[in-house]
Amino acid sequence: MIFELQKRELMKLKRWEDNHNCCITDMGAIGGKLSYKFTPTSIGTVKIVKCACSKEIDLSNYTNW
Ligand SMILES: [Zn+2]
């Protein structure tokens, strides 16, 4: 099973990455401080992205479920 983010979800993620009140500024490479957790369920894939600062965002598109 291949997990990928749709364009809309990527835009949402980018916006959140830029705008959440992050305390971590020196992680180097872009995206290096984010970890992705995709959980398949019977009604769709739950897509959680967590920042190294411990904040996380739910990118799941529940409206399509
Ligand atoms: Zn952060």
Side-chain angles (χ1 to χ4, degrees):
M1 194 173 205
I2 296 171
F3 298 120
E4 57 184 15
L5 294 175
Q6 295 164 6
K7 195 173 182 183
R8 192 164 53 161
E9 295 167 333
L10 277 173
M11 288 170 61
K12 186 178 174 184
L13 173 61
K14 190 75 182 74
R15 209 159 48 228
W16 173 80
E17 187 182 5
D18 290 341
N19 294 330
H20 79 278
N21 190 18
C22 194
C23 57
I24 298 171
T25 56
D26 58 349
M27 288 290 283
I30 296 170
K33 62 185 178 181
L34 299 179
S35 58
Y36 300 81
K37 188 174 66 178
F38 292 172
T39 306
T41 72
S42 57
I43 53 171
T45 302
V46 178
K47 301 171 182 174
I48 304 284
V49 181
K50 188 173 184 179
C51 183
C53 72
S54 86
K55 292 190 175 70
E56 59 184 28
I57 182 174
D58 185 351
L59 293 173
S60 309
N61 188 2
Y62 296 106
T63 57
N64 277 358
W65 293 7

